[in-house]
Amino acid sequence: MFMFGDSLFDAGNNDFLNISIDYKADFPPYGETFFNFSTGRSCDGRILPDFAATYANLPLLLPYLYPGFNNFSNGVNFASAGAGVLPQTDPETVL
Ligand SMILES: *[C@@H]1O[C@H](CO)[C@@H](O)[C@H](O)[C@H]1NC(C)=O
Ligand SMILES: *[C@@H]1O[C@H](CO)[C@@H](O)[C@H](O)[C@H]1NC(C)=O
Ligand SMILES: *[C@@H]1O[C@H](CO)[C@@H](O)[C@H](O)[C@H]1NC(C)=O
């Protein structure tokens, strides 16, 4: 399973962008109801890709930029909060 999208689907890619942007979710209360810590998801729990992966009997998809992650056999999450398809969308969030 391969995910693309914006903050609705971002499982933490923006946490690993080495730029100062407003679209990070690396602080409480993000994540507090399921993971018990902030995971970069713009949600206090799981996001749609987490439920889709669980339904497909796959592990939760890791962010593409997760350090050391290079085995995409089960899929990968490319979503980045703030991303869009138009040229005027914030270019800093394009992976
Ligand atoms: C961010 O910087 C770290 C440390 O220099 C580097 O390992 C990583 O690849 C960089 N991430 C991106 C998305 O450029
Ligand atoms: C989060 O904390 C609750 C309450 O302590 C616990 O039941 C739950 O298993 C924890 N979730 C994770 C993903 O560790
Ligand atoms: C990649 O992950 C798959 C699924 O977990 C596993 O079967 C495979 O051995 C892994 N490949 C490598 C090179 O680690």
Side-chain angles (χ1 to χ4, degrees), residues 8-83:
L8 297 175
F9 292 83
D10 186 352
N13 276 307
N14 282 22
D15 284 1
F16 305 110
L17 291 175
N18 294 322
I19 52 176
S20 176
I21 56 172
D22 295 330
Y23 311 121
K24 293 189 178 185
D26 56 350
F27 52 88
Y30 292 119
E32 69 178 359
T33 64
F34 183 77
F35 298 100
N36 300 322
F37 62 94
S38 59
T39 61
R41 290 166 173 80
S42 298
C43 177
D44 65 356
R46 287 168 285 182
I47 53 177
L48 186 62
D50 299 324
F51 291 102
T54 301
Y55 185 74
N57 288 319
L58 293 171
L60 298 189
L61 296 178
L62 283 174
Y64 171 67
L65 295 177
Y66 192 87
F69 175 49
N70 57 15
N71 183 347
F72 302 159
S73 295
N74 286 323
V76 59
N77 186 324
F78 292 102
S80 174

